[in-house]
Amino acid sequence: MAVKLSSIINTDELLKLNPSEIILIDARAGINAEENYNKEHLKGARYVDLNKDLAAVEDPANGGRHPLPSFSKFSEVLSKLGISPSSHIIIYDDKNASNAASRFWWMLRSAGHEKVQVVNGGLQEAVKADFPVSSEIETFEAAKKYPVSEWKLKTADIEEVEKVRNNSENIVIDVRDKNRFDGLTEPLDLIAGHIPGAVNVPFSENLDENGLFKPAEILAEKYNSVLENKPSENIIVHCGSGVTACHTLLAMDYAGIEIPKLYVGSWSEWSRNDREMATKEKQ
């Protein structure tokens, strides 16, 4: 029986792998992300763009700021990156996997690709461990069309969140930091606050003081306490736009917990619709 591949790979394990047997992906996002990748990246890494490759360009009120792309678009992205169903994919970003590494991990797993891991500590930890870096243009061949026909992992839409957010048999988790959840600040969306009924479990709590994922057993203890034995289909995880929420889904999978539902639209969609909102004035 094949042993399940850990969703997290430490840098000492990464250094032992044969570069020709893996596909390394740089998934950093934000301002000047691709420019920074071009200046310096882990040697051999191919760049994936959160906005262009891992999301669709649509109305944020209908799906949030980073809605999932179509199956055909994602298939094209994977083929362009040279990824085939047998590829061993290793992903990193420069924000401890909260940038877009965890989102790409979730999308690959949801497309049915099991052989995918995220670098613990990301770019900075790999550089610290003396993984070779480069500013060269990476050349590689595209792969044949990658078959993507469904998202195999569970998702929730805005109507389901509305239906279950106050149900004691369900739990809606918001992974944004406490100040955003409390409505004290909102750097990205139009309104500050949170979905009434949601509980705040910041994704940053998945990490230790060095920016590394806490041990699997510690994460398991934490989330089993939060989830109170609720089945995965009764758990919905969200953030601002369905990206950072994947960090917590990654942490749960690493801890051996079944991956719950992702609300892709998240606060960016909820706050742009005529829905009840808990803001600083309405706590």
Side-chain angles (χ1 to χ4, degrees), residues 145-163:
K145 182 178 174 62
Y146 192 108
V148 182
S149 59
E150 63 175 328
W151 299 120
K152 297 178 185 293
L153 297 180
K154 296 180 284 286
T155 60
D157 61 18
I158 193 170
E159 298 304 333
E160 182 177 355
V161 176
E162 180 70 85
K163 181 179 178 181

Side-chain angles (χ1 to χ4, degrees), residues 6-275:
S6 172
S7 49
I8 301 294
I9 184 169
N10 294 318
T11 52
D12 60 335
E13 299 170 303
L14 176 62
L15 285 165
K16 294 175 183 176
L17 296 177
N18 185 336
S20 67
E21 295 178 354
I22 63 173
I23 293 181
L24 195 56
I25 300 291
D26 187 311
R28 73 183 93 181
I31 299 173
N32 300 326
E34 188 169 8
E35 180 182 337
N36 292 333
Y37 160 82
N38 290 328
K39 286 179 181 177
E40 183 178 87
H41 54 265
L42 298 187
K43 185 174 177 59
R46 307 167 189 185
Y47 179 73
V48 69
D49 188 294
L50 170 62
N51 294 315
K52 297 176 183 177
D53 300 327
L54 306 183
V57 180
E58 295 180 12
D59 177 7
N62 182 22
R65 286 183 279 107
H66 292 110
L68 293 171
S70 67
F71 300 132
S72 60
K73 170 65 182 299
F74 191 47
S75 175
E76 290 174 8
V77 168
L78 297 181
S79 299
K80 181 185 71 174
L81 288 168
I83 293 173
S84 67
S86 63
S87 300
H88 182 180
I89 313 301
I90 297 179
I91 314 167
Y92 70 88
D93 62 31
D94 60 353
K95 296 290 188 300
N96 310 104
S98 68
N99 222 208
S102 58
R103 166 70 171 240
F104 193 30
W105 167 86
W106 183 92
M107 290 174 70
L108 280 164
R109 284 288 302 274
S110 196
H113 196 107
E114 294 291 330
K115 208 172 181 181
V116 53
Q117 298 176 286
V118 174
V119 177
N120 199 3
L123 174 64
Q124 295 88 335
E125 194 67 17
V127 170
K128 191 193 304 183
D130 293 327
F131 192 98
V133 296
S134 175
S135 60
E136 300 295 320
I137 296 174
E138 303 294 344
T139 58
F140 52 91
E141 293 183 3
K144 294 179 180 178
K145 182 178 174 62
Y146 192 108
V148 182
S149 59
E150 63 175 328
W151 299 120
K152 297 178 185 293
L153 297 180
K154 296 180 284 286
T155 60
D157 61 18
I158 193 170
E159 298 304 333
E160 182 177 355
V161 176
E162 180 70 85
K163 181 179 178 181
V164 307
R165 63 187 176 86
N166 289 316
N167 190 330
S168 61
E169 295 182 359
N170 297 79
I171 182 169
V172 177
I173 298 174
D174 186 328
V175 311
R176 296 174 302 158
D177 68 68
K178 189 175 186 300
N179 283 342
R180 288 182 73 185
F181 182 84
D182 289 343
L184 301 178
T185 183
E186 180 47 63
L188 298 169
D189 290 309
L190 306 179
I191 300 171
H194 66 265
I195 298 171
V199 298
N200 186 214
V201 187
F203 80 91
S204 57
E205 295 178 3
N206 298 326
L207 305 172
D208 64 17
E209 64 276 9
N210 298 313
L212 300 173
F213 279 88
K214 293 175 180 176
E217 59 271 20
I218 299 297
L219 291 170
E221 182 179 2
K222 171 188 175 64
Y223 283 109
N224 283 327
S225 175
V226 169
L227 302 177
E228 299 178 334
N229 294 316
K230 290 180 174 63
S232 60
E233 60 266 22
N234 287 20
I235 304 162
I236 298 172
V237 180
H238 74 280
C239 54
S241 68
V243 176
T244 306
C246 295
H247 191 280
T248 289
L249 300 182
L250 174 64
M252 288 180 176
D253 184 70
Y254 179 52
I257 297 170
E258 186 175 354
I259 301 171
K261 292 179 178 178
L262 170 64
Y263 172 31
V264 180
S266 290
W267 179 249
S268 61
E269 177 183 51
W270 186 275
S271 61
R272 287 173 169 82
N273 284 273
D274 188 21
R275 306 283 173 163

